[in-house]
Amino acid sequence: MKKIVSIVMVLVMIFALAGCSSAPAPADKSADTKTEDKVAPKEESVVIYQNKVEIGEQLSAFAAKYEAQTGVKVTVKTSGGDTPYAENLKAEFQSDRQPDIFVIEGKGGYNTWKSKLTPFSGDKWMDLTDLAFKADGKTYGFPVAVEAWGMAYNADLLAKAGIDPSTLTSQDAYKAAFKKLDGMKKELGIKSVVAMAAGPDMRWVTGLHNFNGYLSAGLPYGDTSVLDKMLKGQPDMERLKEYADWVELLFKYSDKAVLLTGNYDAQVGQFATGKAVFVHQGNWIDPWLMSNGVKFPMGFAPHASVYGEHNAIFIGAPSYYVINNESKNIQAAKDFLNYMATSEEGANYMVKEAKMVPAFKNITLKPDAPLSADVMKWLAKDNGAYTWLQNDMPDGFGMGTIAPIYEAFAKGDITKQEFIDQLADKIRALK
């Protein structure tokens, strides 16, 4: 009996202590309890620092809906476009404003920020995509979207000029088309054939997106052979020469004011107003086009970055949401991303509001934005995609190291051969 009494006293003490720390969850939740579970403590919040100016408003609106449903405040901070995201993000980390979620763009970003990252594990979204960013056997990045770029074209202007966009598969085909369009400027009402920008505000267009043509155009999806050689300090001189011909062609048929000093609005605006037949941009310009009432039919043709036939555009996950390992709100941040990938509201945000192509297999909504809809067609084609490799270059190489060379070439400060030689020298310096 004495032993039984002792056991009972011990159990009473254990339950008393448990009651002081936290109450056990009820097995049968009432309706009131369910409501209580959905509403998180008011002090719980998440700060996301992201780099896509074109979806800043839509993401903030989605975050507001999330707060209304869960009680968790999500603050969206945006830095991108004409403002340097990488530098501003570093400033955030050097202050007391560290975000809970921020964005990296592939391996280069991972190498820069890996000491600040915590991996995902067991999150629902991980089984719903093949495009998560992984490194060292762990998953670190939630894919923001599937994006693509090519030579976006105005279908009405091409039809008026008698040019079938499906024939634009080589440098020779583009040379003939550009020459014809240039000779029809007055008839077509255009100022230039191509809306292209290579100035200080648009180095991501030249040093990242355009240079990716050197890295992957004409190669099977996933082929990193040119990138691998580059990272060893070995330029492919023949490929660089072919690539320089493409850059020269784009610059030749661009409006010089936009090419040398234009910003994002100037470049996209020239295309949107029908003053250029092509624009060197991707489907991320859809929100801009739709918000400005642009309604003409459009699509993508391949970049003929090197010689040969091209029947693919550049498609990939451009960036990834990652979790700050010093965040006090890690679980809240993960909950927000899981909600984005798995809820009806998240699907609607990505496809209908932000006009993005989602990276998740569970989402069946189809984009109605013109360029994103065209990306879906290229995705459905056999071998319709070239790899995104620009984000696997060393941090700063694209925009900081080589983009000024494009600007000098566009201005006429250097010749095409000097353009080739300077790019080769920068590649050799990576050894």
Side-chain angles (χ1 to χ4, degrees), residues 139-346:
T139 298
Y140 286 95
F142 173 110
V144 174
V146 172
E147 288 189 345
W149 79 89
M151 292 296 288
Y153 60 80
N154 180 323
D156 284 345
L157 290 176
L158 285 183
K160 195 171 181 179
I163 297 172
D164 180 352
S166 70
T167 65
L168 300 174
T169 57
S170 68
Q171 289 192 12
D172 286 342
Y174 271 108
K175 285 178 185 175
F178 284 7
K179 184 177 181 180
K180 183 176 185 180
L181 290 164
D182 194 60
M184 298 176 67
K185 278 183 176 177
K186 188 173 181 181
E187 181 180 348
L188 296 175
I190 61 174
K191 193 169 184 180
S192 69
V193 176
V194 181
M196 178 70 189
D201 291 339
M202 302 298 285
R203 290 179 171 175
W204 52 280
V205 172
T206 50
L208 294 177
H209 292 170
N210 195 274
F211 186 69
N212 190 69
Y214 166 74
L215 297 175
S216 73
L219 302 177
Y221 196 81
D223 188 328
T224 62
S225 56
V226 177
L227 172 70
D228 294 340
K229 286 179 63 178
M230 188 187 87
L231 296 177
K232 295 176 183 175
Q234 301 170 3
D236 183 329
M237 293 307 298
E238 189 59 36
R239 193 172 173 88
L240 270 181
K241 292 175 183 175
E242 296 177 6
Y243 169 66
D245 286 346
W246 176 241
V247 176
E248 181 184 48
L249 188 65
L250 294 177
F251 288 179
K252 178 180 178 181
Y253 288 100
S254 298
D255 175 75
K256 297 307 175 191
V258 174
L259 178 66
L260 299 178
T261 61
N263 60 12
Y264 180 80
D265 286 342
Q267 186 199 10
V268 178
Q270 191 177 49
F271 175 71
T273 55
K275 296 300 181 184
V277 183
F278 297 91
V279 63
H280 186 320
Q281 284 287 353
N283 66 307
W284 50 84
I285 70 172
D286 272 334
W288 194 104
L289 297 174
M290 297 184 77
S291 66
N292 283 279
V294 179
K295 298 186 182 301
F296 58 75
M298 62 189 76
F300 284 117
H303 272 246
S305 306
V306 293
Y307 296 172
E309 291 290 317
H310 297 273
N311 289 290
I313 62 174
F314 303 105
I315 301 177
S319 55
Y320 307 87
Y321 293 131
V322 294
I323 304 293
N324 177 3
N325 60 15
E326 296 179 2
S327 165
K328 297 178 181 177
N329 305 300
I330 288 178
Q331 189 55 52
K334 290 185 174 183
D335 290 346
F336 176 68
L337 294 179
N338 272 316
Y339 182 80
M340 185 185 292
T342 61
S343 69
E344 184 177 341
E345 290 81 0

